[in-house]
Amino acid sequence: MSRFEELKNVVARLRSPGGCPWDREQTHSSLKAACIEEAAEVICGINILEKTGNPDSLKEELGDLLLQVVMQAQIAEEEGLFTMDDVIRGVSEKMIRRHPHVFGEEIVSDTGDVIREWSEIKKWEKAGKEWMESYLPGAMDEAKELIEVAKKRKGFE
């Protein structure tokens, strides 16, 4: 069993009957704050690595962010929406599709070409789903608010 499968099993057990009452009560929405806070802590870990060369914080915080992803996928699976395998398959397929210069016949000469190609592929992928982007400004505002709450909770304000 891989370490990733082990983590999936840990999360499933935490959410199962006889598991942790707090973990069982969590929902996609209730975990928003933890997700945004862990992402900020990853940034902190990167900053520590860049300033000190010490990777310990980044390693820990990446694990905490990964836990958020696994927890969200576990909840989705319990709700019959999708599985972690669906998430992994989707992102793998997207990376292959968006990198035809690596996985296909496309030839690029520089990073600018890569960015232009990526943008065109993404535009094609999102065709018919443009309405989804209208939710992004609200999500950004919500993320900002969640960061402010986290700063207060941690005593930074």
Side-chain angles (χ1 to χ4, degrees), residues 3-56:
R3 293 287 185 188
F4 185 73
E5 290 169 321
E6 185 179 333
L7 174 60
K8 283 175 50 180
N9 290 340
V10 166
V11 170
R13 182 159 181 206
L14 288 170
R15 289 194 44 86
S16 70
C20 174
W22 184 90
D23 287 291
R24 284 195 318 269
E25 291 173 2
Q26 298 315 299
T27 65
H28 295 295
S29 290
S30 71
L31 291 171
K32 286 179 182 180
C35 188
I36 198 73
E37 189 172 325
E38 295 303 347
E41 290 177 359
V42 166
I43 293 169
C44 179
I46 293 167
N47 293 343
I48 291 169
L49 175 63
E50 289 175 346
K51 296 286 184 192
T52 70
N54 186 325
D56 293 344

Side-chain angles (χ1 to χ4, degrees), residues 2-3 9 15 18 24-25 40 61 65 70-71 77 91 95 98 103 106 108 113 122 129 131 135 142 145:
S2 72
R3 293 287 185 188
N9 290 340
R15 289 194 44 86
R24 284 195 318 269
E25 291 173 2
E61 300 309 339
L65 186 58
V70 173
M71 183 74 81
E77 185 170 348
V91 73
M95 290 301 99
R98 291 190 183 177
F103 300 100
E106 294 283 327
V108 297
D113 286 347
K122 185 174 179 179
K129 301 177 192 173
W131 62 272
Y135 284 83
E142 186 176 1
E145 291 168 14

Side-chain angles (χ1 to χ4, degrees), residues 119-153:
S119 297
E120 285 301 313
I121 294 167
K122 185 174 179 179
K123 185 177 175 183
W124 172 80
E125 289 171 346
K126 301 293 182 181
K129 301 177 192 173
E130 293 85 0
W131 62 272
M132 291 180 176
E133 191 147 317
S134 68
Y135 284 83
L136 191 53
M140 293 287 193
D141 291 341
E142 186 176 1
K144 213 166 29 176
E145 291 168 14
L146 290 168
I147 288 289
E148 289 306 313
V149 169
K151 286 167 68 176
K152 287 178 186 167
R153 189 176 59 73

Side-chain angles (χ1 to χ4, degrees), residues 93-130:
E93 290 172 357
K94 181 193 305 186
M95 290 301 99
I96 291 167
R97 204 171 42 248
R98 291 190 183 177
H99 291 85
H101 55 285
V102 175
F103 300 100
E105 304 286 324
E106 294 283 327
I107 297 173
V108 297
S109 58
D110 59 27
T111 301
D113 286 347
V114 171
I115 293 169
R116 279 186 291 282
E117 183 72 18
W118 178 283
S119 297
E120 285 301 313
I121 294 167
K122 185 174 179 179
K123 185 177 175 183
W124 172 80
E125 289 171 346
K126 301 293 182 181
K129 301 177 192 173
E130 293 85 0

